[in-house]
Amino acid sequence: MILPIVAYGDPVLKKKAKPITPDYPNLSTLLENMYETMYGASGVGLAAPQIGLAIRVFLVDTSPFAGDESFSPEEQKQLENFKKTFINAEILEEEGEEWGFSEGCLSIPGINEDVFRKPVVTIKYQDKDFNTHTETYTGLIARVIQHEYDHIEGVLFTDKLSSLKKRLIKGKLTNISKGKCSAEYRMKFPMVSKKR
Ligand code: NI
């Protein structure tokens, strides 16, 4: 089932999300729905707060970047095959010199800005069966993980922009929270009153 994606301005996007336990109700259905929602919106990642749940769950599937020739053939191959569910993730370390890349977010349609992040990330997480893994990722895979991880920490990519950039996009962000934006997927807007 495709779920509506929560838009910028909803308080759930600003909350630090809580860990879950293996008895979390209907987890496999939730994950299925999240994957369906992410693919339905052509996203490369989706975090639970974006569907209104402040829990430490996010998904990444970087395969849409596979044909992008700005990446080396080797990196494209990695991007093509990277699909993972992260539960209760904790970033242990971020290393290297920050690099910029134009990011977007399904909760913030129509806005893309360069975001600077460190290129190497070591993350500890549990998979859908609650087995614990500690892995290190680099490049664009690391970046997508960092972006989704920020969501479960209550941080959006727009929070990481310069104050000048923030001022420049303020009006657009307000419009998004009011539903004045176009997205090719279902969204839920915090400042649109519900019809009775
Ligand atoms: Ni996002």
Side-chain angles (χ1 to χ4, degrees):
M1 185 174 66
I2 291 185
L3 307 166
I5 294 175
V6 166
Y8 180 92
D10 192 306
V12 74
L13 295 176
K14 297 257 115 190
K15 274 189 199 155
K16 186 176 160 88
K18 295 253 162 37
I20 61 164
T21 51
D23 59 0
Y24 189 84
N26 305 316
L27 181 61
S28 60
T29 308
L30 172 68
L31 294 174
E32 254 171 58
N33 290 344
M34 284 180 68
Y35 273 105
E36 209 180 323
T37 302
M38 176 175 76
Y39 293 133
S42 305
V44 295
L46 184 75
Q50 295 182 278
I51 50 132
L53 295 174
I55 55 171
R56 298 183 80 79
V57 174
F58 65 84
L59 325 169
V60 174
D61 183 341
T62 58
S63 58
F65 285 114
D68 188 332
E69 289 178 357
S70 56
F71 302 104
S72 70
E74 197 195 332
E75 194 167 7
Q76 284 185 55
K77 187 104 202 146
Q78 288 171 356
L79 291 164
E80 186 174 7
N81 296 311
F82 192 81
K83 172 182 170 174
K84 227 179 249 281
T85 303
F86 292 83
I87 294 174
N88 299 333
E90 294 291 341
I91 285 183
L92 303 179
E93 199 169 15
E94 290 174 289
E95 298 159 90
E97 198 163 317
E98 291 193 346
W99 64 295
F101 185 83
S102 177
E103 293 189 18
C105 180
L106 294 176
S107 295
I108 314 175
I111 296 184
N112 291 277
E113 294 291 344
D114 278 353
V115 178
F116 288 82
R117 299 186 189 272
K118 291 184 175 173
V120 185
V121 63
T122 300
I123 190 165
K124 184 177 172 184
Y125 67 95
Q126 289 168 315
D127 60 28
K128 63 174 172 44
D129 303 314
F130 284 83
N131 297 310
T132 302
H133 306 266
T134 299
E135 287 159 1
T136 298
Y137 295 103
T138 58
L140 193 61
I141 289 174
R143 176 175 291 274
V144 179
I145 290 171
Q146 288 160 322
H147 176 114
E148 298 311 324
Y149 183 83
D150 276 351
H151 275 299
I152 63 168
E153 291 287 303
V155 174
L156 299 172
F157 83 87
T158 47
D159 297 328
K160 303 179 105 76
L161 303 175
S162 69
S163 47
L164 172 65
K165 268 276 153 58
K166 279 184 194 147
R167 275 205 300 282
L168 290 171
I169 63 169
K170 198 166 180 249
K172 273 193 195 173
L173 291 174
T174 304
N175 282 341
I176 290 171
S177 65
K178 291 177 180 166
K180 292 181 195 161
C181 62
S182 65
E184 284 165 8
Y185 43 88
R186 248 177 94 204
M187 292 195 80
K188 182 173 162 264
F189 301 100
M191 287 167 72
V192 174
S193 56
K194 289 193 186 82
K195 296 221 174 73
R196 293 168 201 213

